[in-house]
DNA sequence: TGGTGCGGAGAACCAACGTTCTCTAGCCTA
DNA sequence: TAGGCTAGAGAACGTTGGTTCTCCGCACCA
């Protein structure tokens, strides 16, 4: 097995275990067992657990945002539809097997106070998401697109937390309805 | 020191440490040191760490909800103002020293997958909060108070997460503005 | 064919932690 | 004052986990 494949398998194992059960809960030996990569190789690829955690989060960040953007691009036929497509994607995500909330919220709660590097990756993810939403609202004819984006971001985070804790994918519905109302209000402010 | 005082001091120490730094990060010896209660007494009051965590969360749940309800009661002069008062209280909370997000979201992310008892306390807190918001919206002249309550809940959770990760108490503003719009739309649905 | 270096399995090491045990000092009671 | 109960300080115990080390087999090369 070459380095690239080992790295991929390690990241796959890390994502499955860390996301599914928490970071402190999962030991390096579990990662080794699940990935089939020897401990020696593991520490060649990632010189410490914190390193592996960072890498797992970074890869997940990219994939997650790409998946969201792809869905919105495919399903929104006009800029007005884009924000709502975000919540449709959330609903699908909430229903996936093994859904356990936002990896970045979870790792921030667990490690944010003790690992500045993990905290930084978590914040970078949220900044990127806000930036993405700002891109969507900037294409709309509204008075304050950034303010609208921040409202949508609030709904996205809220829905994710509620879905995680309740286990109900339908947590996306109130968020979507709220987004619809906010969008309509922003688009027709004076009517 | 009698049992009651020991219990209080232990819960104070647990709240400070667990909330501030995470649960796995903090050892029982840290609790002992901060509380000034001997290990023997500690294990008399709480026969295991999980016990202590549960008790800390239960006490925090009560205090947190009472504080919120008190503020709303004191500041909302009409039922219409009550939902917005919730967000004013959030803003104050977000600005407190040592604010680090919602203890229940954090502990759920850290232990939800491994400790069913902690998960249950976390869910109970969220259920109680939803119930509280339903009480507020039930007093309004709106078509679907429960739906409005779920929208508000989404905003509350979202604002809390964003405030925690960004460190910005102003995360309450988009949530409050959104609540205002949603409230207005629900109160005057046909205009 | 004999040596050499690489990779894997797993033991080993060390620290941290949850929990229990021991020892001692003080205090209450007879 | 003597005896025993209590509580605290801290050692001890067993486990776990992050990280490193050892040993062995195997492929490659002179």
């Amino acid at each position: 097995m070459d380095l690239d494949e080992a790295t991929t398998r390690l990241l796959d194992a890390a994502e499955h275990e860390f996301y599914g059960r928490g970071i402190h809960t999962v030991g390096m030996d579990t990662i080794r067992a699940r990935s089939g990569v020897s401990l020696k190789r593991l520490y060649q690829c990632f010189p410490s657990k914190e390193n592996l955690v960072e890498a797992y989060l970074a890869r997940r960040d990219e994939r997650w945002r790409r998946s969201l953007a792809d869905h919105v691009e495919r399903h929104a036929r006009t800029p007005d539809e884009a924000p709502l497509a975000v919540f449709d994607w959330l609903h699908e995500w909430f229903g996936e097997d093994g859904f356990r909330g936002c990896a970045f919220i979870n790792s921030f709660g667990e490690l944010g106070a003790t690992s500045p590097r993990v905290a930084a990756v978590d914040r970078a993810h949220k900044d990127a998401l806000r930036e993405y939403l700002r891109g969507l609202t900037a294409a709309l004819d509204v008075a304050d697109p950034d303010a609208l984006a921040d409202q949508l971001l609030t709904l996205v985070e809220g829905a994710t937390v509620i879905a995680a804790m309740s286990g109900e994918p339908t947590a996306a519905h109130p968020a979507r309805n709220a987004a619809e109302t906010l969008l309509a209000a922003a688009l027709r402010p004076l009517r």
Side-chain angles (χ1 to χ4, degrees), chain A residues 159-183:
Chain A
T160 304
V161 163
I162 294 167
M165 292 189 64
S166 69
E168 289 290 344
T170 53
H173 294 156
R176 198 202 136 104
N177 292 337
E180 218 162 350
T181 303
L182 295 174
L183 202 56

Side-chain angles (χ1 to χ4, degrees), chain A residues 47-78:
Chain A
S48 75
K49 185 177 183 180
E50 192 180 21
N51 245 279
L52 177 60
V53 171
E54 266 183 83
Y56 135 62
L57 289 172
R59 194 185 71 165
R60 188 173 172 100
D61 169 49
E62 261 188 45
R63 287 188 175 171
W64 188 91
R65 289 190 291 116
R66 181 147 22 96
S67 170
L68 169 60
D70 282 357
H71 181 279
V72 170
E73 222 169 294
R74 268 188 282 105
H75 289 78
R77 282 168 307 179
T78 68

Side-chain angles (χ1 to χ4, degrees), chain A residues 2-78:
Chain A
D2 65 357
L3 276 176
D4 270 9
E5 187 184 343
T7 302
T8 305
R9 290 168 71 155
L10 287 167
L11 288 173
D12 289 347
E15 182 153 4
H16 188 273
E17 298 287 340
F18 289 154
Y19 177 70
R21 304 202 289 133
I23 294 169
H24 273 131
T25 308
V26 173
M28 293 298 260
D29 201 62
T30 303
I31 303 293
R32 178 201 57 75
R34 183 172 191 97
S35 63
V37 172
S38 73
L39 269 187
K40 199 191 247 179
R41 256 262 201 279
L42 197 173
Y43 277 93
Q44 270 171 18
C45 295
F46 303 99
S48 75
K49 185 177 183 180
E50 192 180 21
N51 245 279
L52 177 60
V53 171
E54 266 183 83
Y56 135 62
L57 289 172
R59 194 185 71 165
R60 188 173 172 100
D61 169 49
E62 261 188 45
R63 287 188 175 171
W64 188 91
R65 289 190 291 116
R66 181 147 22 96
S67 170
L68 169 60
D70 282 357
H71 181 279
V72 170
E73 222 169 294
R74 268 188 282 105
H75 289 78
R77 282 168 307 179
T78 68

Side-chain angles (χ1 to χ4, degrees), chain A residues 106-170:
Chain A
N106 292 349
S107 59
F108 190 86
E110 198 172 344
L111 299 173
T114 47
S115 165
R117 307 187 48 190
V118 168
V121 178
D122 292 337
R123 290 206 187 88
H125 168 78
K126 292 306 177 198
D127 287 348
L129 175 58
R130 162 182 269 143
E131 223 36 65
Y132 172 71
L133 293 174
R134 287 187 173 200
L136 296 187
T137 56
L140 305 177
D141 183 25
V142 301
D144 192 342
D146 286 357
L148 180 60
D150 279 352
Q151 295 184 339
L152 295 175
L153 180 65
T154 307
L155 290 171
V156 168
E157 304 299 357
T160 304
V161 163
I162 294 167
M165 292 189 64
S166 69
E168 289 290 344
T170 53

